[in-house]
Amino acid sequence: MSSDSLVRQHRTATATLTVTGGGVPLDGQEVVVAQRDHAFLFGCTGLDSVTHAAGQPESATPEAVASEAVASGAGSDVPAGGGTARSERMGELWLDLFNFATLPFYWGWFEPERGRPDTRRLQAAARWFTDRGCLVKGHPLAWHTESAQWLTELSNAEITEAQLDRIRREVTDFAGLIDTWDVINEVVIMPIFDKYDNGLTRICRELGRIPLVRTVFDAAREANPRATLLLNDFDMSAAYECLIEGVLEAGIRIDALGLQSHMHQGYWGEEKTLGIIDRFARYGLPIHFTETTLLSGHLMPADIVDLNDYQIPEWPSTPEGEERQADEVVRHYRTLLSHPSVRASTYWGMVDGGWLGAPGGFVRADGTPKPSYHALRTLVRDEWWLAPTTLGTDERGRVGFTGFLGEYEVSAGGRTATFRLDQPGPATLTVEL
Amino acid sequence: MSSDSLVRQHRTATATLTVTGGGVPLDGQEVVVAQRDHAFLFGCTGLDSVTHAAGQPESATPEAVASEAVASGAGSDVPAGGGTARSERMGELWLDLFNFATLPFYWGWFEPERGRPDTRRLQAAARWFTDRGCLVKGHPLAWHTESAQWLTELSNAEITEAQLDRIRREVTDFAGLIDTWDVINEVVIMPIFDKYDNGLTRICRELGRIPLVRTVFDAAREANPRATLLLNDFDMSAAYECLIEGVLEAGIRIDALGLQSHMHQGYWGEEKTLGIIDRFARYGLPIHFTETTLLSGHLMPADIVDLNDYQIPEWPSTPEGEERQADEVVRHYRTLLSHPSVRASTYWGMVDGGWLGAPGGFVRADGTPKPSYHALRTLVRDEWWLAPTTLGTDERGRVGFTGFLGEYEVSAGGRTATFRLDQPGPATLTVEL
């Protein structure tokens, strides 16, 4: 079956919708049906590393920061204080593609000085997204990279306690705003990571991978029992499978599996992507593609093992690269939606100039959208989207239509009601206007 | 500390031995102390794949086969019927280096036709080694490669039952002769192995890695509670770590970890080897290097992923290669013995012409020993060995000496007694002559 047919099979419902008024079917009337949101989580980072790393003045109000939350990748040339035309434009571009934001909780950034967490600023950023109907994920609660430097002055028992306190604090402080968390990141390599000393590698090495996963998941679960908790890794080999099997066999509840997919060294292609999804779908858990990058410039050489090792002064986006990226973005998203296990796909940086300075955005550094932006928008808001459509109800007040899973509204005579299509296949609903 | 000092620290005891006669210390006497065996398991395959694959006539008696058990690698040019001068010579060479034999239990060879296992022939081979004081290991009880073809005609439940029956049968039939087993081989890749269909990949995929490991270990343990049971893998990455952690976390008892180390693409070197040992030593289990190969010819190209894919008509041993191999063999064994966790090292084929036709033996195809043979013999029987040594007892009947861990004898006045040195460091013993 073509990927297109599979997308339709797994992602659309054929609805028979009965429209009533005062409990009575409205027969022979014109109604307008329109999609409002996708069930699939089209995600993107919502507050880019560059903006963050460039530093916010201590005096910036949460509101000012929030208004910049979506000016992702623009870096230090965005004046703090918010409300610039560019910020607003980036926000519009972001919201026109995405419904799912990943916000940065790297411990070393979030709490560089022990006891002074960056809570208010991140709450404001999260609120900016939730106010606009987006789901927000926090990334990550535990990771050996970008962990707090001050941990290395503690004993292993103290590091573990600080890590658990940190998880309880963030998950509690953000409950309601952020109920989805990458609880722990890159556990496969964590205990043998040897680039530099850090607190997380120390405790993972002492406790073992599975006990550490258990303890951090327990802390997060206890702080917010409603939360969706992810295990996330870049290692797509059998190592991550073995880790997952060990974790599940140990009775630890994981709500979704995060698969990173930075493709700085080239698009994986449909076959490899589906092979990976199939291997991780075996566990019956929803799959999130958590960190996707596709370049619109030259590729990183294949012999680079740790992507962080590739540092060049300039990495330009090129016209040919932008055409290739647009094509690959369409193929990648079509592949992901063709597999029923994939629940989310998060793109890593809407605007160029983020991680590694790579031209991986859908928007150039000058703020203009690339072909990839338009290509993904065509999928999300056109090919996979039901624009407002006028239909006539039959003698029993019914209209029939096929739409992508998500949130819908139906309107007639100045009244509007909403409903959801959550399962693929036939759906029978009644909506009171 | 130098590897040499570490070898001495972890592998030798400094003994104070009191020699008595009728319970009275024999003071001022000359005694001869001599080592009889190593505690370290210097292993080698004991019945090579080539001999086996070449096929034994159905009519060959177990005794005939046994006499060929050590003519490893000689292939079909060794006439069945045993007792040839070459077989005897190979046996002598083998026993002069090794005290630990690995015998092949590949299911597809051992029971090509269901219900007709090759039990008697393998029992005879095992007995040949045990009669000569060697420990024998069976390899492997469960593996997706070389598994029985007829499994693919069964349902998954039937495959699982056949696998468990097979384990119980072999472990029971060989108890006393073989009490050490590679229970399951290469579990990391097992469920995703995609070169060809086979029964083991099917059940591993359905059950999951850890439940399959549990069920095969349970069967082996139940059949022979005294047995030493190994998990064995070629994957030296974090994947095997994650598998081991999951298995241990699930409460499955593993007696030793098997690490393959086929080095057809080049000697690992001390740093990589010690790095691997350190990573797997974290689990507190004895480590067996189960399958070591070092070539005395050209190396396999680095871009070959599955070693089985490299098939060439001739792969000669060369003079330069033989010098290099001798050097690497010494460095490799010295590295292994310098780490206290390593309990065994099994070389994969004493004679050239075994697996892949590679010149990986210590003995050329024409039966003459290479420099590597002599180099390892110098370690095993000279540098790490206490040859018969005459010592005089003191006024309390004591002699002192330092020796490598293992079995010893002491003789005086025509009488001989044996004792063991099992722990490194100071040892105080009394032996009655």
Side-chain angles (χ1 to χ4, degrees), chain A residues 188-189 191-192 204-205 208-211 214 235 237-243 245-247 249-250 278-279 282-283, chain B residues 188-189 191-192 204-205 208-211 214 235 237-243 245-246 249-250 278-279 282-283:
Chain A
V188 168
I189 204 177
I192 53 174
C204 192
R205 193 172 167 92
R209 293 174 174 94
I210 297 171
R214 179 187 284 115
D235 190 321
S237 78
Y240 193 27
E241 293 178 45
C242 289
L243 174 71
E245 292 181 30
V247 163
E249 198 68 31
D278 276 338
R279 283 197 290 114
R282 288 192 287 139
Y283 307 112
Chain B
V188 168
I189 204 178
I192 54 174
C204 191
R205 193 173 166 90
R209 292 175 174 92
I210 297 171
R214 179 187 284 115
D235 191 322
S237 80
Y240 192 28
E241 293 179 45
C242 289
L243 175 72
E245 292 182 29
E249 198 67 30
D278 276 337
R279 285 198 289 115
R282 287 193 288 140
Y283 308 111

Side-chain angles (χ1 to χ4, degrees), chain A residues 77-404:
Chain A
D77 63 337
V78 177
T84 67
R86 177 176 164 124
S87 284
E88 282 172 23
R89 173 72 180 136
M90 292 303 114
E92 286 164 13
L93 288 172
W94 198 102
L95 294 166
D96 207 21
L97 277 191
F98 305 117
N99 58 5
F100 181 40
T102 292
L103 291 183
F105 282 79
Y106 308 109
W107 199 355
W109 301 4
F110 188 81
E111 194 182 6
E113 186 186 337
R114 191 170 190 182
R116 300 195 59 184
D118 199 12
T119 310
R120 284 183 68 219
R121 204 175 70 90
L122 267 290
Q123 283 174 332
R127 195 168 295 114
W128 192 93
F129 289 102
T130 58
D131 284 351
R132 285 152 184 82
C134 297
L135 190 74
V136 182
K137 185 180 73 170
H139 166 87
L141 290 167
W143 189 28
H144 52 278
T145 301
E146 310 290 0
S147 74
Q149 190 56 42
W150 47 263
L151 288 173
T152 58
E153 288 151 32
L154 307 181
S155 72
N156 281 6
E158 290 166 339
I159 294 170
T160 304
E161 206 40 51
Q163 174 65 74
L164 299 182
D165 285 345
R166 189 262 156 133
I167 291 173
R168 292 184 201 107
R169 180 185 63 194
E170 268 69 277
V171 173
T172 303
D173 287 351
F174 287 82
L177 282 172
I178 301 182
D179 298 320
T180 306
W181 293 96
D182 288 333
V183 179
I184 189 162
N185 202 30
E186 304 181 358
V187 181
V188 168
I189 204 177
M190 188 176 286
I192 53 174
F193 178 82
D194 58 4
K195 288 211 152 187
Y196 44 82
D197 179 31
N198 71 86
L200 269 291
T201 291
R202 290 192 202 165
I203 61 171
C204 192
R205 193 172 167 92
E206 180 180 326
L207 298 175
R209 293 174 174 94
I210 297 171
L212 180 62
V213 170
R214 179 187 284 115
T215 196
V216 295
F217 268 76
D218 281 353
R221 186 80 67 197
E222 196 187 317
N224 183 355
R226 294 181 306 118
T228 298
L229 303 181
L230 285 89
L231 189 65
N232 191 48
D233 216 296
F234 71 88
D235 190 321
M236 298 293 99
S237 78
Y240 193 27
E241 293 178 45
C242 289
L243 174 71
I244 293 165
E245 292 181 30
V247 163
L248 296 179
E249 198 68 31
I252 302 164
R253 181 180 139 207
I254 304 290
D255 299 315
L257 293 174
L259 310 184
Q260 297 182 20
S261 51
H262 294 293
M263 295 185 259
H264 294 74
Q265 290 167 315
Y267 173 48
W268 289 352
E270 288 84 349
E271 189 182 339
K272 174 176 170 179
T273 306
L274 283 173
I276 288 172
I277 300 172
D278 276 338
R279 283 197 290 114
F280 292 100
R282 288 192 287 139
Y283 307 112
L285 294 171
I287 289 174
H288 285 213
F289 272 68
T290 50
E291 306 182 21
T292 296
T293 310
L294 283 160
L295 300 188
S296 70
H298 73 264
L299 300 179
M300 187 185 291
D303 60 329
I304 304 281
V305 175
D306 184 333
L307 303 188
N308 290 295
D309 291 340
Y310 188 69
Q311 302 280 357
I312 52 174
E314 261 193 283
W315 198 343
S317 185
T318 64
E320 318 81 72
E322 292 186 358
E323 290 309 317
R324 186 194 64 220
Q325 184 198 38
D327 175 60
E328 291 170 351
V329 162
V330 170
R331 290 166 61 195
H332 184 62
Y333 279 81
R334 216 185 277 289
T335 303
L336 298 191
L337 274 81
S338 77
H339 197 296
S341 291
V342 182
R343 169 94 183 88
S345 175
T346 289
Y347 200 78
W348 208 250
M350 184 180 75
V351 185
D352 274 359
W355 186 44
L356 305 172
F362 294 153
V363 173
R364 300 182 193 97
D366 68 7
T368 55
K370 299 179 191 175
S372 56
Y373 184 93
H374 300 295
L376 182 55
R377 194 184 177 286
T378 299
L379 290 180
V380 173
R381 299 295 180 202
D382 183 3
E383 187 179 327
W384 296 339
W385 187 256
L386 189 74
T389 302
T390 303
L391 300 166
T393 60
D394 68 8
E395 74 286 354
R396 290 157 71 182
R398 299 179 306 188
V399 293
F401 67 96
T402 295
F404 272 70

